[in-house]
Amino acid sequence: MPMQHTDLPLHEYQPVELRDTPFFPQEDYQCGPAALATVLKVSGVDSAHPDTLREQIYIPDRQGSLQAELIAASRRAERIPYVLDTEFSALLRELYSGNPVLVLQNLALARWPQWHYAVVVGFKPDSETIILRSGTNKREEMSLRAFERTWQLADYWAMVVPPNGLTPATAEPLRYFAAVATMEQQQRWQTALAGYEAAEQRWPNDATSAFGMGNIAYQQQNYGLAEEHYYRASELDPQEAAIFYNLAWALFRQGKVAEAQLSAATAERLAPEHSVYGKAVSTLKAAD
């Protein structure tokens, strides 16, 4: 494994193994449902089982599952899946943070692939060995060299599914907020809210969490709570027109017309050329 894939030389890592990670032996071509059930179970989805996931993600014509199906099924289970950076250091950080990592491998050749999903649950740096829940093996030990080859042939794809209320160890704000926003767009309000709350704890100076929570409250017609979230977001990012535009509507829905007009005017001033925010005052007046 090239050293640039890790934050530290391999010998400086301590052995780690997430021994309590459940195991679901796969049947023919059922590695996707089994691997996903494993990480969902760890994330707190007690009902997760390959039998219930198979009909959601298994594609008979392909004799397997696609990454998109695993991500979609995670969302249906009310969890926020997060695809990792294509670096071995990212995989290790998640592992050492207690998150089993679902990985895609190609066990054959690039030209004639044999796709396989497994879950990384351990690392033995002294022997440079990866430990996986894989296929019918509860504890498969694979050399780091072999693992890197099979993982590379699958474009280093890996995913974690943390419990609600926690962010992945390697989460980056922009990508994580995009993952949470997808849950919001699907009207999975409680899961999205848990994602924004976790993000606010991790990145307290980023206005995105407060803005997202404001949007959820507004969609639920809790305009007073939306106002509180939008005001907090505006303090964190006073140059973002979208915040003041949404705040104007939250105020307007509560009958606070004068305050709403002031917020709309701020949105116009910040983005005068924007097709929506640049007409905030007139749009609000038309709705009055």
Side-chain angles (χ1 to χ4, degrees):
M1 176 69 64
M3 287 299 181
Q4 63 264 31
H5 283 295
T6 60
D7 296 324
L8 299 170
L10 293 180
H11 70 272
E12 293 189 19
Y13 284 91
Q14 296 296 315
V16 62
E17 184 172 354
L18 307 179
R19 297 180 183 274
D20 292 336
T21 304
F23 174 58
F24 297 100
Q26 77 162 81
E27 299 174 3
D28 290 343
Y29 308 111
Q30 302 298 321
C31 56
L36 183 59
T38 300
V39 295
L40 285 177
K41 197 83 169 181
V42 173
S43 77
V45 182
D46 293 336
S47 61
H49 193 277
D51 290 344
T52 58
L53 291 168
R54 185 175 297 117
E55 61 187 34
Q56 298 182 43
I57 67 177
Y58 181 68
I59 303 173
D61 290 346
R62 291 178 176 267
Q63 293 187 324
S65 306
L66 299 178
Q67 296 100 305
E69 271 67 42
L70 271 69
I71 291 172
S74 299
R75 291 170 179 157
R76 284 192 292 270
E78 299 297 338
R79 290 297 181 270
I80 302 171
Y82 187 81
V83 176
L84 303 187
D85 285 339
T86 57
E87 295 289 337
F88 185 58
S89 60
L91 187 154
L92 284 183
R93 281 187 61 194
E94 295 295 342
L95 191 61
Y96 279 90
S97 296
N99 296 323
V101 182
L102 194 160
V103 296
L104 177 63
Q105 299 172 278
N106 177 0
L107 302 180
L109 303 172
R111 183 173 295 181
W112 295 287
Q114 180 187 341
W115 304 115
H116 178 70
Y117 291 102
V119 179
V120 178
V121 298
F123 175 52
K124 297 164 65 175
D126 290 346
S127 59
E128 297 193 4
T129 303
I130 292 289
I131 304 170
L132 307 106
R133 300 279 189 268
S134 179
T136 57
N137 298 318
K138 181 177 181 179
R139 192 177 182 278
E140 178 177 336
E141 295 194 14
M142 178 177 283
S143 73
L144 199 52
R145 183 184 298 274
F147 174 77
E148 199 276 340
R149 181 186 65 81
T150 63
W151 193 34
Q152 180 186 38
L153 289 173
D155 296 326
Y156 297 108
W157 191 87
M159 179 182 82
V160 292
V161 186
N164 284 347
L166 297 177
T167 59
T170 59
E172 298 173 353
L174 189 62
R175 291 174 54 212
Y176 182 74
F177 284 127
V180 179
T182 299
M183 304 300 289
E184 180 186 338
Q185 291 160 8
Q186 295 180 357
Q187 299 186 4
R188 301 183 184 278
W189 305 127
Q190 292 306 311
T191 304
L193 187 61
Y196 284 129
E197 289 173 344
E200 189 169 54
Q201 290 294 316
R202 183 161 179 180
W203 303 294
N205 296 322
D206 194 310
T208 310
S209 296
F211 185 63
M213 286 188 277
N215 291 341
I216 292 173
Y218 188 94
Q219 291 291 329
Q220 296 178 322
Q221 299 183 8
N222 191 339
Y223 303 120
L225 182 58
E227 175 190 346
E228 292 179 20
H229 288 312
Y230 289 143
Y231 268 124
R232 189 168 74 259
S234 71
E235 293 171 355
L236 291 169
D237 191 354
Q239 302 301 313
E240 179 52 64
I243 295 172
F244 290 94
Y245 182 81
N246 288 17
L247 172 60
W249 283 102
L251 292 164
F252 180 81
R253 297 301 183 195
Q254 298 175 80
K256 301 177 180 180
V257 179
E259 290 180 62
Q261 290 289 352
L262 287 174
S263 187
T266 302
E268 280 198 8
R269 176 178 57 80
L270 292 172
E273 303 300 323
H274 193 278
S275 60
V276 175
Y277 310 143
K279 300 175 182 177
V281 173
S282 59
T283 301
L284 211 60
K285 285 182 177 178
D288 195 353

